[in-house]
Amino acid sequence: MATALTWLGHSAFRVDSPGGKRIYVDPFLHGNPKCPESELEPERCDLIVLTHGHDDHVGDTVAIHERFGCPVVAQVELRGWLASKGIEFNLAHAPNKGGTVKEGMISITLTDANHSSSTEDGAYAGEPAGIVLALLDAVRRFTIYFAGDTNVFGDMSLIGRIYSPDVAVLPIGDHFTMGPREAAVALELLGVARCVPCHYGTFPLLFGTPDELRKLAPPGVEVLAPEPGETLTF
Ligand SMILES: [Zn+2]
């Protein structure tokens, strides 16, 4: 079975695992100008994973949880804040950096990220994180690294060394995160063969482009740039 990765614009992704589970990462759907109309109302959801507390990442989490009752995995302080919004607190879904949560054949590890994190009502939301999402089936492990919102940092080489991601999902929009110049170095540090850029083009300020990244990326790295709503299959 394959893994399907669908970009929903900005940093929102839908992942369909080889085992048939549907995962949303940073599901900013309503209010996301690049989210396709047909993706605004998820038809099902088995798991939500969040990188940090900003509302362009938490997005529709509460509404999706209310509808499907799916687990929500996020850094412990952010997960605590979500409890105040009606998502019953579950310490098993509230890790911190370096920790791994297992949900059946899916494992979620939080990594470092350099950014800020607070909620829409100004609450402390812990620190921002990246996510290593490993999808297992009987024959293989497929690993996607979602960097979250961050600049490049040297310890990305540790993420590459420890988790060997098959794909890196990197922000490239610039202004609030790294742009293509830093993302190219991130790819080198991670040692990945494939990159899916995100957090660009949503608003005029997020001006980095996949073409700029392609010019700067290490030789042999494939920069895949799906349209919002388009699915990549691995
Ligand atoms: Zn953001």
Side-chain angles (χ1 to χ4, degrees):
M1 287 286 286
T3 296
L5 179 69
T6 305
W7 189 38
L8 305 177
H10 203 55
S11 286
F13 287 87
R14 175 157 58 73
V15 182
D16 288 287
S17 79
K21 297 292 184 193
R22 178 157 290 184
I23 305 147
Y24 279 83
V25 178
D26 286 352
F28 172 44
L29 310 179
H30 289 91
N32 172 356
K34 297 291 181 185
C35 181
E37 184 84 25
S38 59
E39 296 285 351
L40 287 173
E41 303 295 339
E43 57 188 31
R44 61 193 179 90
C45 178
D46 300 300
L47 175 66
I48 298 173
V49 189
L50 301 177
T51 59
H52 65 292
H54 289 160
D55 55 6
D56 60 319
H57 295 258
V58 172
D60 295 41
T61 296
V62 172
I64 298 171
H65 173 80
E66 268 173 15
R67 199 155 149 210
F68 302 106
C70 49
V72 178
V73 174
Q75 205 247 1
V76 59
E77 283 86 0
L78 174 58
R79 191 61 185 77
W81 176 80
L82 287 166
S84 76
K85 300 291 163 192
I87 304 180
E88 192 182 346
F89 190 68
N90 181 344
L91 197 55
H93 295 150
N96 214 326
K97 295 175 189 180
T100 297
V101 171
K102 290 206 166 75
E103 278 290 307
M105 301 288 272
I106 301 162
S107 86
I108 304 113
T109 304
L110 296 188
T111 71
D112 209 359
N114 288 329
H115 193 64
S116 51
S117 185
S118 57
T119 64
E120 61 187 8
D121 52 14
Y124 175 64
E127 290 199 1
I131 296 163
V132 174
L133 186 70
L135 307 166
L136 313 169
D137 66 15
V139 290
R140 68 169 188 162
R141 163 191 292 263
F142 189 81
T143 304
I144 308 174
Y145 165 55
F146 294 88
D149 283 4
T150 187
N151 57 347
V152 67
F153 53 92
D155 286 352
M156 283 182 174
S157 64
L158 291 176
I159 295 168
R161 177 176 154 192
I162 298 168
Y163 300 105
S164 306
D166 295 286
V167 182
V169 176
L170 302 182
I172 64 159
D174 213 314
H175 195 77
F176 294 121
T177 69
M178 58 184 161
R181 187 173 173 187
E182 289 198 13
V185 178
L187 291 171
E188 188 184 312
L189 292 167
L190 289 161
V192 288
R194 283 171 289 204
C195 174
V196 175
C198 69
H199 216 276
Y200 73 92
T202 328
F203 312 107
L205 269 178
L206 308 186
F207 47 79
T209 65
D211 279 346
E212 284 172 77
L213 178 59
R214 283 192 185 102
K215 283 183 204 141
L216 300 165
V221 175
E222 198 179 359
V223 177
L224 304 162
E227 292 297 317
E230 191 180 337
T231 299
L232 301 170
T233 305
F234 300 101

